[in-house]
Amino acid sequence: MKRSPGARLCATAAMGALSLSLLTACSDEGSKDTADSRASSPSSAASSSSAPAAKPLTTAELEKLLLAQGELKGYKVASGDDTLPASKSRVKTDKPACDPLAWATAGLAPGDTDANASNSVSEDKASAATAQPTDLADAFDIDMTYVGLSSYAGDGAEKAMKAVSDGVTACAGGYGLTGDGETTKVTRTAAEKGAAKGDETVAFASDVDMDGEGTATFHTAVVRKGNTVATFYTVNFAAMAKGGEMGGVPAAVLDAQVAKLK
């Protein structure tokens, strides 16, 4: 018997930021691959020749650098406190080299630092708020980008970027992922090319098993500016439930966030 979109959404929820809101949606059997623009599938840019000299930022300082409500037209911003894993201990893989990839998809620091802040930036469809969806899946037809900022001392940011880049290669054949008790299988990872952002950019695609009913492709971008690293991971729950390819990180979100970094 073919399983419902909601069931498949639940089975793959670990690939996104696992939260009470997501788990509630799953229990109710809820589920665009029409993002206005892709994140240009940025690839790895040349690293600077010397380690960043600036003092690492604190978590409180990083929170002030996150995009805030009203700063990006057409999008609304929500705190990551209730929608993203609180710590790396809640996101695990079966291959240590793949950990930075999993952390990047969950708004967590891909490198060794305790300075980390995150939020979510989603399409604002307020004008369609009174529309009656044909089914519950339509209510999930929205692109949501999980954004994480982390800051490092010395060359820590560069090491974090290398860990992500190395992870893309080491995890080409996939890995198992568990987040907040939800388990799924990433079947493939591959580097993506495109315009570079900040001082250094690594982008990759991940194919995720959709509960035995094919795979869906997700896109992640990781950008370094000085000693700050920003991670971007976009999901569309309606598209996720159907399988296939997710839209990339919206360029508007990526550009606006990188522009705020010091």
Side-chain angles (χ1 to χ4, degrees):
M1 178 178 177
K2 188 174 182 179
R3 301 184 69 178
S4 68
R8 290 201 289 164
L9 175 60
C10 295
T12 58
M15 194 56 197
L18 296 168
S19 64
L20 292 177
S21 59
L22 274 181
L23 297 178
T24 299
C26 289
S27 65
D28 290 335
E29 289 291 286
S31 55
K32 160 179 165 202
D33 196 6
T34 57
D36 293 337
S37 60
R38 302 291 290 275
S40 300
S41 298
S43 61
S44 194
S47 173
S48 61
S49 58
S50 61
K55 181 180 179 181
L57 301 175
T58 65
T59 294
E61 290 172 324
L62 289 172
E63 288 176 345
K64 293 179 180 179
L65 291 179
L66 286 166
L67 284 174
Q69 182 62 34
E71 290 185 333
L72 185 57
K73 185 177 180 180
Y75 292 85
K76 54 185 177 181
V77 178
S79 168
D81 294 344
D82 296 327
T83 58
L84 290 165
S87 68
K88 293 179 179 179
S89 64
R90 297 173 67 177
V91 179
K92 301 178 180 180
T93 74
D94 58 4
K95 297 179 182 179
C98 305
D99 286 346
L101 308 186
W103 294 333
T105 67
L108 296 167
D112 186 14
T113 181
D114 293 326
N116 185 78
S118 58
N119 67 1
S120 64
V121 183
S122 58
E123 291 179 294
D124 188 357
K125 295 187 175 181
S127 61
T130 58
Q132 296 297 317
T134 56
D135 57 53
L136 193 56
D138 291 341
F140 289 89
D141 188 10
I142 185 170
D143 291 323
M144 178 178 290
T145 301
Y146 298 105
V147 180
L149 299 182
S150 54
S151 188
Y152 305 79
D155 62 352
E158 292 173 319
K159 288 181 177 178
M161 297 298 291
K162 186 177 187 302
V164 173
S165 181
D166 289 348
V168 173
T169 300
C171 306
Y175 58 93
L177 170 64
T178 300
D180 282 0
E182 295 290 330
T183 301
T184 193
K185 174 67 177 177
V186 179
T187 60
R188 180 191 71 99
T189 62
E192 296 194 305
K193 297 180 179 180
K197 305 291 181 180
D199 298 320
E200 186 178 4
T201 305
V202 174
F204 60 93
S206 304
D207 289 351
V208 182
D209 177 61
M210 298 296 285
D211 196 27
E213 297 183 23
T215 61
T217 301
F218 296 80
H219 304 273
T220 303
V222 183
V223 179
R224 179 180 68 81
K225 189 171 182 180
N227 62 350
T228 300
V229 173
T231 63
F232 304 85
Y233 174 77
T234 300
V235 297
N236 180 296
F237 301 124
M240 184 192 296
K242 296 175 183 177
E245 182 152 343
M246 301 293 106
V249 180
V253 175
L254 192 151
D255 290 342
Q257 179 60 79
V258 172
K260 289 195 67 175
L261 302 183
K262 296 180 179 180

